[in-house]
Amino acid sequence: TISSISIAPTLGGRITITGSNFGSLSFLGLVSISTTTTGQICTSLYMERNHTQISCHINGGTGTSSMTVSVASLTATSSYSYLPPIISNATMVPTYGGRTTIYGVNFGTSLSTISVTIGNVGACTSIIMLLPDSIISCIVPRGSGIISNSIITVDRLSSSFLFRYSPPSISYVMHDPIATSGGSITIFGNNF
């Protein structure tokens, strides 16, 4: 039986499978581990603890899947997950919208599994991958301020982040002499 599987890095790496009845080091040649959805085989098997813990190397991926551990002709299946995406920074865009660059980890390598939503403003469009697993770019719709409930989703695993539109900037103030009782001015700038 399988009681737990450690979370897998999206670029691949070692995972640990904990359970029971895995056999001992002498049975390691009879053990195979594969994912049921992609048929991917876990390689470089190592018996961490006799009968209860095996580690292996898994290729990169995203989302969740099922894994089957076979010892001789006995099998056990359990679900496992890759790490969710994490945003470290997103570049600001003007209030009229524009292209932002989003930095982080665990984005995977397939654009078809990535979506970005900027709070209630809308979806980020025209997503491109600048660096696999860690840098993407997309076009943000018009908006303003700090959007706290922005979401990145990679293969059904999501996390939230803060998105900031560029703050207003003043380039010039035009006015006639103003009386102490008040008057009109015209302000020129960006991101109003």
Side-chain angles (χ1 to χ4, degrees):
T1 61
I2 299 171
S3 58
S4 69
I5 301 174
S6 63
I7 296 176
T10 56
L11 289 178
R14 284 206 85 69
I15 61 170
T16 301
I17 303 158
T18 303
S20 60
N21 303 319
F22 295 158
S24 62
L25 187 57
S26 60
F27 284 92
L28 198 54
L30 300 174
V31 175
S32 68
I33 302 171
S34 63
T35 62
T36 54
T37 52
T38 63
Q40 180 184 161
I41 296 174
C42 211
T43 60
S44 303
L45 289 140
Y46 182 76
M47 186 69 67
E48 298 286 342
R49 288 191 196 117
N50 284 340
H51 306 288
T52 62
Q53 200 169 63
I54 301 172
S55 68
C56 63
H57 183 276
I58 193 165
N59 291 336
T62 56
T64 59
S65 187
S66 294
M67 180 172 287
T68 300
V69 176
S70 299
V71 180
S73 62
L74 303 173
T75 63
T77 301
S78 182
S79 64
Y80 74 97
S81 177
Y82 284 93
L83 290 167
I86 299 171
I87 304 289
S88 58
N89 186 36
T91 58
M92 291 187 282
V93 298
T95 54
Y96 55 80
R99 186 164 285 282
T100 184
T101 301
I102 301 172
Y103 301 86
V105 293
N106 304 322
F107 299 166
T109 58
S110 174
L111 285 176
S112 65
T113 64
I114 300 172
S115 67
V116 179
T117 304
I118 306 300
N120 295 329
V121 175
C124 210
T125 60
S126 302
I127 298 173
I128 58 173
M129 188 163 293
L130 300 177
L131 184 63
D133 201 56
S134 58
I135 304 174
I136 60 172
S137 178
C138 60
I139 297 175
V140 176
R142 68 182 310 130
S144 63
I146 299 172
I147 312 298
S148 62
N149 58 343
S150 299
I151 303 287
I152 182 168
T153 302
V154 177
D155 204 0
R156 298 178 312 277
L157 296 176
S158 299
S159 62
S160 61
F161 67 100
L162 281 177
F163 183 80
R164 291 178 169 90
Y165 283 91
S166 298
S169 63
I170 296 173
S171 56
Y172 180 72
V173 177
M174 185 174 75
H175 60 86
D176 290 329
I178 299 173
T180 55
S181 60
S184 296
I185 62 172
T186 304
I187 301 172
F188 296 90
N190 294 305
N191 302 313
F192 298 150

